[in-house]
Amino acid sequence: MDERVRMIAVDMDGTLVGGDGRVSARTLAALKAAERAGVQVVVATGRRHCYAMKVLRELGLGEDDALISSNGTVTRTIGARLIERNLLPVETARWLLEHVEEFRNALVVTFDKVGEDGEDARGALVVEHLDDLNASIGRWMAANEPYIEHVSPIELALDGDAPIQMMVCGPIERMRRAEARLLEHPAVSAVGAVSEKHAEVQLHRTEYPERDLSIVDILPAGCSKGAALLRLAASRGIRAEAIVAIGDNWNDLSMLEVAGRAVLMGNAPEDLKALARERGWMMTRRHDEDGAAEAIEGLLGTVQER
Protein backbone atom coordinates (compact mmCIF):
# COMPACT_ATOMS: atom_id res chain seq x y z
CA MET A 1 0.00 0.00 0.00
CA ASP A 2 1.13 3.55 -0.67
CA GLU A 3 -0.23 4.82 2.66
CA ARG A 4 0.08 3.59 6.21
CA VAL A 5 -2.88 1.63 7.51
CA ARG A 6 -5.49 4.07 8.81
CA MET A 7 -8.61 1.90 9.10
CA ILE A 8 -9.28 -1.75 9.86
CA ALA A 9 -12.75 -3.08 8.99
CA VAL A 10 -13.51 -6.40 10.66
CA ASP A 11 -16.49 -8.73 10.29
CA MET A 12 -18.13 -10.20 13.38
CA ASP A 13 -19.44 -13.77 13.11
CA GLY A 14 -16.74 -16.15 11.98
CA THR A 15 -14.11 -13.41 12.25
CA LEU A 16 -14.14 -11.20 15.34
CA VAL A 17 -16.35 -13.58 17.31
CA GLY A 18 -14.94 -16.96 18.32
CA GLY A 19 -16.66 -20.31 18.43
CA ASP A 20 -18.01 -19.51 21.90
CA GLY A 21 -19.87 -16.45 20.63
CA ARG A 22 -17.48 -14.03 22.32
CA VAL A 23 -14.50 -11.88 21.38
CA SER A 24 -11.35 -13.40 22.85
CA ALA A 25 -9.03 -11.45 25.13
CA ARG A 26 -6.28 -11.63 22.51
CA THR A 27 -8.54 -10.29 19.76
CA LEU A 28 -9.79 -7.45 21.95
CA ALA A 29 -6.21 -6.58 22.88
CA ALA A 30 -5.33 -6.42 19.18
CA LEU A 31 -8.24 -4.05 18.49
CA LYS A 32 -7.21 -1.81 21.37
CA ALA A 33 -3.60 -1.81 20.19
CA ALA A 34 -4.73 -0.76 16.72
CA GLU A 35 -6.66 2.17 18.16
CA ARG A 36 -3.66 3.23 20.27
CA ALA A 37 -1.60 3.17 17.07
CA GLY A 38 -4.02 5.66 15.53
CA VAL A 39 -5.87 3.15 13.35
CA GLN A 40 -9.65 3.50 13.19
CA VAL A 41 -11.48 0.25 13.91
CA VAL A 42 -14.77 -0.38 12.11
CA VAL A 43 -16.97 -3.40 12.77
CA ALA A 44 -18.87 -4.47 9.63
CA THR A 45 -21.49 -7.17 10.14
CA GLY A 46 -24.55 -8.83 8.70
CA ARG A 47 -26.15 -8.47 12.12
CA ARG A 48 -28.44 -5.52 12.71
CA HIS A 49 -27.12 -2.88 15.11
CA CYS A 50 -28.94 -4.07 18.24
CA TYR A 51 -27.92 -7.70 17.80
CA ALA A 52 -24.30 -6.75 17.14
CA MET A 53 -24.22 -4.67 20.31
CA LYS A 54 -25.12 -7.74 22.37
CA VAL A 55 -21.48 -8.73 21.84
CA LEU A 56 -19.79 -5.36 21.31
CA ARG A 57 -21.25 -3.47 24.26
CA GLU A 58 -18.99 -5.21 26.77
CA LEU A 59 -15.77 -4.59 24.82
CA GLY A 60 -15.30 -0.95 25.77
CA LEU A 61 -14.85 0.28 22.20
CA GLY A 62 -15.00 4.03 21.60
CA GLU A 63 -18.45 5.63 21.44
CA ASP A 64 -17.53 7.19 18.10
CA ASP A 65 -16.20 3.98 16.56
CA ALA A 66 -18.37 2.98 13.60
CA LEU A 67 -20.56 -0.10 13.30
CA ILE A 68 -21.70 -1.00 9.79
CA SER A 69 -24.69 -3.29 10.26
CA SER A 70 -27.21 -5.24 8.18
CA ASN A 71 -24.52 -5.86 5.54
CA GLY A 72 -24.05 -2.16 4.84
CA THR A 73 -27.63 -0.93 5.02
CA VAL A 74 -27.14 1.03 8.25
CA THR A 75 -24.09 2.71 9.80
CA ARG A 76 -24.13 3.97 13.36
CA THR A 77 -21.55 4.71 15.96
CA ILE A 78 -21.07 2.28 18.83
CA GLY A 79 -22.90 4.94 20.83
CA ALA A 80 -25.95 4.50 18.51
CA ARG A 81 -25.65 7.84 16.67
CA LEU A 82 -27.03 7.34 13.16
CA ILE A 83 -24.56 8.03 10.36
CA GLU A 84 -26.36 6.51 7.36
CA ARG A 85 -29.45 4.43 6.70
CA ASN A 86 -30.88 2.96 3.49
CA LEU A 87 -34.47 1.78 3.23
CA LEU A 88 -36.06 -0.83 0.99
CA PRO A 89 -38.98 1.00 -0.65
CA VAL A 90 -42.34 -0.38 0.44
CA GLU A 91 -43.39 -0.91 -3.18
CA THR A 92 -40.26 -3.00 -3.75
CA ALA A 93 -40.87 -4.98 -0.57
CA ARG A 94 -44.43 -5.78 -1.65
CA TRP A 95 -43.50 -7.27 -5.01
CA LEU A 96 -40.65 -9.16 -3.39
CA LEU A 97 -43.09 -10.89 -1.05
CA GLU A 98 -45.08 -12.10 -4.04
CA HIS A 99 -41.93 -13.02 -5.96
CA VAL A 100 -40.61 -15.31 -3.20
CA GLU A 101 -43.99 -16.84 -2.31
CA GLU A 102 -42.52 -20.35 -2.12
CA PHE A 103 -39.98 -19.23 0.49
CA ARG A 104 -42.11 -17.06 2.76
CA ASN A 105 -41.84 -19.67 5.52
CA ALA A 106 -38.09 -18.92 5.58
CA LEU A 107 -38.44 -15.13 5.42
CA VAL A 108 -37.65 -12.40 7.96
CA VAL A 109 -38.33 -8.71 7.32
CA THR A 110 -36.15 -6.28 9.29
CA PHE A 111 -37.04 -2.72 10.32
CA ASP A 112 -34.71 -0.17 11.90
CA LYS A 113 -36.25 0.48 15.31
CA VAL A 114 -33.09 1.34 17.24
CA GLY A 115 -33.57 3.78 20.11
CA GLU A 116 -31.08 6.21 21.62
CA ASP A 117 -29.83 3.44 23.91
CA GLY A 118 -29.03 1.19 20.95
CA GLU A 119 -31.85 -1.23 21.73
CA ASP A 120 -34.53 -2.36 19.27
CA ALA A 121 -38.25 -2.39 19.87
CA ARG A 122 -40.50 -5.39 19.20
CA GLY A 123 -41.38 -5.41 15.53
CA ALA A 124 -37.79 -4.82 14.43
CA LEU A 125 -38.09 -8.36 13.07
CA VAL A 126 -41.28 -9.58 11.42
CA VAL A 127 -42.06 -13.14 10.36
CA GLU A 128 -45.12 -14.83 8.93
CA HIS A 129 -44.16 -18.43 9.76
CA LEU A 130 -42.10 -19.69 12.68
CA ASP A 131 -41.55 -23.46 12.30
CA ASP A 132 -38.98 -23.51 9.49
CA LEU A 133 -37.08 -20.57 10.94
CA ASN A 134 -36.94 -22.21 14.36
CA ALA A 135 -35.60 -25.37 12.71
CA SER A 136 -32.85 -23.61 10.72
CA ILE A 137 -31.82 -20.71 13.00
CA GLY A 138 -33.34 -21.68 16.32
CA ARG A 139 -30.67 -20.09 18.51
CA TRP A 140 -30.97 -16.80 16.62
CA MET A 141 -34.76 -16.89 16.92
CA ALA A 142 -34.55 -17.50 20.66
CA ALA A 143 -32.00 -14.73 21.20
CA ASN A 144 -34.12 -12.28 19.21
CA GLU A 145 -37.53 -13.26 20.60
CA PRO A 146 -38.04 -9.86 22.31
CA TYR A 147 -37.86 -8.16 18.90
CA ILE A 148 -39.84 -10.61 16.74
CA GLU A 149 -43.42 -9.88 15.74
CA HIS A 150 -45.56 -12.56 14.10
CA VAL A 151 -47.68 -10.95 11.35
CA SER A 152 -49.94 -12.82 8.93
CA PRO A 153 -50.14 -11.95 6.16
CA ILE A 154 -46.73 -10.34 6.42
CA GLU A 155 -47.77 -7.59 3.99
CA LEU A 156 -49.57 -5.92 6.90
CA ALA A 157 -46.19 -5.08 8.41
CA LEU A 158 -45.52 -2.83 5.41
CA ASP A 159 -48.40 -0.49 6.24
CA GLY A 160 -46.03 1.53 8.44
CA ASP A 161 -42.33 2.23 7.99
CA ALA A 162 -40.23 0.90 5.14
CA PRO A 163 -37.90 -2.01 6.06
CA ILE A 164 -34.14 -1.94 5.82
CA GLN A 165 -33.83 -5.50 4.53
CA MET A 166 -35.31 -8.95 4.14
CA MET A 167 -33.62 -12.32 4.48
CA VAL A 168 -34.41 -15.92 3.67
CA CYS A 169 -32.52 -18.66 5.46
CA GLY A 170 -32.41 -22.42 5.55
CA PRO A 171 -30.55 -25.43 4.08
CA ILE A 172 -27.96 -24.48 1.47
CA GLU A 173 -29.62 -26.28 -1.44
CA ARG A 174 -33.00 -24.70 -0.74
CA MET A 175 -31.46 -21.24 -0.42
CA ARG A 176 -29.72 -21.69 -3.75
CA ARG A 177 -33.17 -22.24 -5.23
CA ALA A 178 -34.43 -19.13 -3.43
CA GLU A 179 -31.52 -17.13 -4.81
CA ALA A 180 -32.19 -18.39 -8.31
CA ARG A 181 -35.85 -17.48 -7.95
CA LEU A 182 -34.96 -13.97 -6.82
CA LEU A 183 -32.63 -13.52 -9.78
CA GLU A 184 -35.44 -14.27 -12.21
CA HIS A 185 -36.58 -10.68 -11.60
CA PRO A 186 -34.61 -8.08 -13.61
CA ALA A 187 -34.59 -5.62 -10.68
CA VAL A 188 -32.51 -8.00 -8.53
CA SER A 189 -28.68 -7.78 -8.59
CA ALA A 190 -26.75 -10.97 -7.94
CA VAL A 191 -24.34 -11.64 -5.08
CA GLY A 192 -21.10 -9.80 -5.79
CA ALA A 193 -22.49 -7.93 -8.79
CA VAL A 194 -22.44 -4.16 -9.17
CA SER A 195 -26.01 -2.89 -9.04
CA GLU A 196 -27.28 -1.72 -12.43
CA LYS A 197 -29.22 1.53 -12.70
CA HIS A 198 -32.51 -0.33 -12.98
CA ALA A 199 -31.81 -2.52 -9.94
CA GLU A 200 -33.98 -2.18 -6.85
CA VAL A 201 -32.45 -5.00 -4.82
CA GLN A 202 -28.95 -6.28 -4.03
CA LEU A 203 -28.40 -9.86 -2.84
CA HIS A 204 -25.78 -11.00 -0.32
CA ARG A 205 -25.08 -14.54 0.86
CA THR A 206 -23.58 -16.07 3.99
CA GLU A 207 -22.99 -19.83 4.06
CA TYR A 208 -22.06 -22.19 6.88
CA PRO A 209 -21.49 -25.58 5.17
CA GLU A 210 -20.82 -27.39 8.45
CA ARG A 211 -24.32 -26.39 9.62
CA ASP A 212 -25.97 -26.77 6.18
CA LEU A 213 -27.16 -23.19 6.60
CA SER A 214 -27.35 -20.37 4.10
CA ILE A 215 -28.65 -16.84 4.65
CA VAL A 216 -29.60 -14.78 1.62
CA ASP A 217 -29.96 -11.10 2.46
CA ILE A 218 -32.16 -8.92 0.28
CA LEU A 219 -31.00 -5.31 0.56
CA PRO A 220 -31.73 -1.99 -1.12
CA ALA A 221 -29.82 -1.69 -4.40
CA GLY A 222 -26.22 -0.58 -3.99
CA CYS A 223 -25.98 -1.61 -0.34
CA SER A 224 -23.00 -3.67 0.73
CA LYS A 225 -20.35 -3.66 3.41
CA GLY A 226 -17.86 -2.41 0.83
CA ALA A 227 -19.97 0.52 -0.34
CA ALA A 228 -20.76 1.59 3.22
CA LEU A 229 -17.11 1.24 4.20
CA LEU A 230 -15.91 3.45 1.33
CA ARG A 231 -18.45 6.16 2.17
CA LEU A 232 -17.50 6.08 5.84
CA ALA A 233 -13.79 6.21 5.04
CA ALA A 234 -14.25 9.11 2.62
CA SER A 235 -16.18 11.07 5.25
CA ARG A 236 -13.17 10.64 7.54
CA GLY A 237 -10.60 11.54 4.91
CA ILE A 238 -9.30 7.99 4.46
CA ARG A 239 -8.52 6.51 1.07
CA ALA A 240 -9.40 2.95 0.14
CA GLU A 241 -5.70 2.09 -0.12
CA ALA A 242 -5.32 2.77 3.61
CA ILE A 243 -8.07 0.29 4.61
CA VAL A 244 -7.58 -3.30 5.71
CA ALA A 245 -10.65 -5.57 5.60
CA ILE A 246 -10.89 -8.86 7.48
CA GLY A 247 -13.73 -11.31 6.82
CA ASP A 248 -14.73 -14.93 6.42
CA ASN A 249 -17.74 -15.21 4.15
CA TRP A 250 -19.37 -14.18 0.90
CA ASN A 251 -21.14 -11.21 2.47
CA ASP A 252 -17.65 -9.82 3.19
CA LEU A 253 -16.61 -10.00 -0.45
CA SER A 254 -17.47 -6.39 -1.27
CA MET A 255 -15.31 -4.94 1.50
CA LEU A 256 -12.47 -7.39 0.81
CA GLU A 257 -12.50 -6.21 -2.81
CA VAL A 258 -12.48 -2.46 -2.10
CA ALA A 259 -9.89 -2.43 0.69
CA GLY A 260 -6.22 -1.77 0.05
CA ARG A 261 -5.46 -5.06 1.77
CA ALA A 262 -7.79 -8.05 2.24
CA VAL A 263 -7.47 -10.76 4.90
CA LEU A 264 -9.53 -13.95 4.71
CA MET A 265 -10.15 -16.15 7.75
CA GLY A 266 -9.13 -19.81 7.80
CA ASN A 267 -12.74 -20.90 8.41
CA ALA A 268 -13.97 -19.34 5.15
CA PRO A 269 -15.83 -21.55 2.63
CA GLU A 270 -13.50 -23.41 0.29
CA ASP A 271 -14.73 -21.64 -2.85
CA LEU A 272 -14.04 -18.25 -1.25
CA LYS A 273 -10.57 -19.45 -0.23
CA ALA A 274 -9.94 -20.38 -3.84
CA LEU A 275 -10.90 -16.85 -4.92
CA ALA A 276 -8.63 -15.39 -2.23
CA ARG A 277 -5.69 -17.42 -3.53
CA GLU A 278 -6.36 -16.22 -7.07
CA ARG A 279 -6.32 -12.61 -5.90
CA GLY A 280 -3.35 -12.92 -3.60
CA TRP A 281 -5.22 -12.03 -0.43
CA MET A 282 -3.66 -12.70 2.92
CA MET A 283 -4.94 -15.80 4.72
CA THR A 284 -5.02 -16.14 8.48
CA ARG A 285 -6.10 -18.72 11.06
CA ARG A 286 -9.65 -19.68 11.97
CA HIS A 287 -11.95 -17.56 14.13
CA ASP A 288 -11.58 -20.07 16.98
CA GLU A 289 -7.77 -19.81 16.72
CA ASP A 290 -7.59 -16.00 17.08
CA GLY A 291 -7.04 -15.55 13.35
CA ALA A 292 -8.28 -11.95 13.38
CA ALA A 293 -5.92 -11.10 16.25
CA GLU A 294 -3.03 -12.70 14.39
CA ALA A 295 -3.77 -10.62 11.30
CA ILE A 296 -4.14 -7.35 13.22
CA GLU A 297 -0.96 -7.98 15.19
CA GLY A 298 0.92 -8.51 11.95
CA LEU A 299 -0.56 -5.36 10.45
CA LEU A 300 0.41 -3.32 13.50
CA GLY A 301 4.00 -4.36 12.94
CA THR A 302 3.72 -2.85 9.45
CA VAL A 303 2.16 0.33 10.85
CA GLN A 304 4.87 0.70 13.49
CA GLU A 305 7.66 0.21 10.93
CA ARG A 306 6.24 3.03 8.83
Side-chain angles (χ1 to χ4, degrees):
M1 292 187 294
D2 296 328
E3 298 183 39
R4 66 187 294 269
V5 177
R6 296 186 59 198
M7 179 176 281
I8 294 175
V10 57
D11 169 55
M12 280 190 68
D13 295 287
T15 303
L16 189 63
V17 177
D20 60 356
R22 302 174 65 86
V23 178
S24 73
R26 180 183 174 187
T27 300
L28 179 57
L31 294 177
K32 296 288 190 180
E35 292 193 324
R36 288 195 300 273
V39 178
Q40 294 190 36
V41 173
V42 178
V43 177
T45 179
R47 297 189 185 205
R48 70 190 192 289
H49 182 93
C50 172
Y51 193 45
M53 289 305 298
K54 299 294 184 188
V55 173
L56 301 178
R57 189 170 283 113
E58 64 186 41
L59 301 185
L61 299 176
E63 288 283 294
D64 290 327
D65 286 350
L67 170 57
I68 296 171
S69 58
S70 297
N71 280 324
T73 306
V74 179
T75 303
R76 279 186 165 86
T77 64
I78 293 292
R81 177 176 59 83
L82 181 64
I83 297 174
E84 177 184 80
R85 174 172 53 207
N86 299 274
L87 299 175
L88 191 64
V90 170
E91 297 78 10
T92 300
R94 290 189 183 280
W95 67 251
L96 275 167
L97 290 176
E98 293 185 9
H99 187 56
V100 294
E101 177 69 30
E102 176 188 349
F103 303 96
R104 284 164 69 119
N105 60 352
L107 178 74
V108 180
V109 181
T110 304
F111 296 84
D112 186 38
K113 293 183 177 290
V114 175
E116 292 182 0
D117 61 354
E119 271 292 304
D120 272 341
R122 188 174 289 278
L125 302 167
V126 177
V127 303
E128 186 173 66
H129 303 279
L130 294 170
D131 291 348
D132 285 75
L133 290 167
N134 282 326
S136 60
I137 52 170
R139 284 189 300 173
W140 183 90
M141 293 287 286
N144 284 281
E145 192 282 328
Y147 317 109
I148 295 173
E149 189 171 356
H150 180 209
V151 178
S152 184
I154 202 168
E155 282 86 352
L156 294 175
L158 300 175
D159 290 343
D161 297 331
I164 53 173
Q165 73 168 106
M166 297 180 179
M167 73 174 185
V168 287
C169 48
I172 290 175
E173 186 57 39
R174 186 175 190 229
M175 290 304 99
R176 286 177 178 166
R177 295 199 305 272
E179 192 174 328
R181 173 61 178 150
L182 282 159
L183 290 172
E184 290 175 5
H185 198 291
V188 178
S189 289
V191 172
V194 176
S195 293
E196 301 290 342
K197 289 184 178 180
H198 63 269
E200 299 177 36
V201 171
Q202 179 73 54
L203 298 186
H204 294 273
R205 180 197 319 118
T206 311
E207 285 189 355
Y208 302 99
E210 69 281 1
R211 296 164 57 191
D212 189 25
L213 174 64
S214 177
I215 301 168
V216 179
D217 286 298
I218 307 166
L219 306 184
C223 286
S224 68
K225 290 185 181 184
L229 179 61
L230 287 181
R231 289 191 294 269
L232 176 68
S235 73
R236 298 183 173 186
I238 297 174
R239 296 173 56 192
E241 292 84 356
I243 302 172
V244 174
I246 308 173
D248 77 301
N249 222 302
W250 286 102
N251 66 327
D252 298 313
L253 180 61
S254 61
M255 71 173 185
L256 293 169
E257 289 181 325
V258 302
R261 185 175 297 176
V263 181
L264 188 68
M265 300 292 293
N267 49 287
E270 290 302 319
D271 48 358
L272 186 53
K273 286 182 181 179
L275 179 64
R277 286 190 287 268
E278 288 177 10
R279 299 188 179 183
W281 293 346
M282 176 181 170
M283 305 279 282
T284 189
R285 294 177 184 271
R286 293 175 50 87
H287 67 309
D288 50 10
E289 298 173 332
D290 286 328
E294 180 182 71
I296 293 169
E297 290 161 359
L299 291 164
L300 289 180
T302 302
V303 171
Q304 291 163 1
E305 290 171 5
R306 296 187 179 187

